[in-house]
Amino acid sequence: MAATRYATFDCYGTLIDWNLGIRTQLERLFGVEPAPRLLERYHELEPEIEAEPFRSYHEVLSLALELERQLAASAAPPN
């Protein structure tokens, strides 16, 4: 008899530290100093994307790129 196999997904950060992963990438992209502020901004923008009606995966990826663009603009030093 074959063993039963399971897959699990972590949507609440209980298995994977999403904040650490996101912050690590923000540090890599924009530097250590702006990373905490950008992580806070990310958490402001993400619910806006998730609150919208159903989207195709292509649309979600496009919105994620827009989110990255907004974070990059947030990382720019003030004039």
Side-chain angles (χ1 to χ4, degrees):
M1 176 177 245
T4 303
R5 296 177 63 169
Y6 298 93
T8 184
F9 301 91
D10 179 30
C11 61
Y12 297 106
T14 54
L15 301 174
I16 299 170
D17 185 348
W18 289 103
N19 280 332
L20 177 62
I22 295 167
R23 183 176 172 154
T24 298
Q25 291 308 308
L26 291 172
E27 288 176 359
R28 185 180 66 79
L29 292 168
F30 304 112
V32 173
E33 188 175 322
R37 178 174 49 83
L38 293 175
L39 182 60
E40 183 178 321
R41 182 68 181 134
Y42 171 85
H43 285 298
E44 293 169 0
L45 296 171
E46 182 186 40
E48 293 175 20
I49 292 173
E50 293 173 347
E52 299 294 326
F54 173 82
R55 289 191 163 90
S56 70
Y57 188 63
H58 180 270
E59 291 172 305
V60 170
L61 289 177
S62 296
L63 287 169
L65 289 174
E66 175 61 20
L67 175 60
E68 186 176 330
R69 186 195 65 73
Q70 290 179 37
L71 288 173
S74 297
N79 292 331

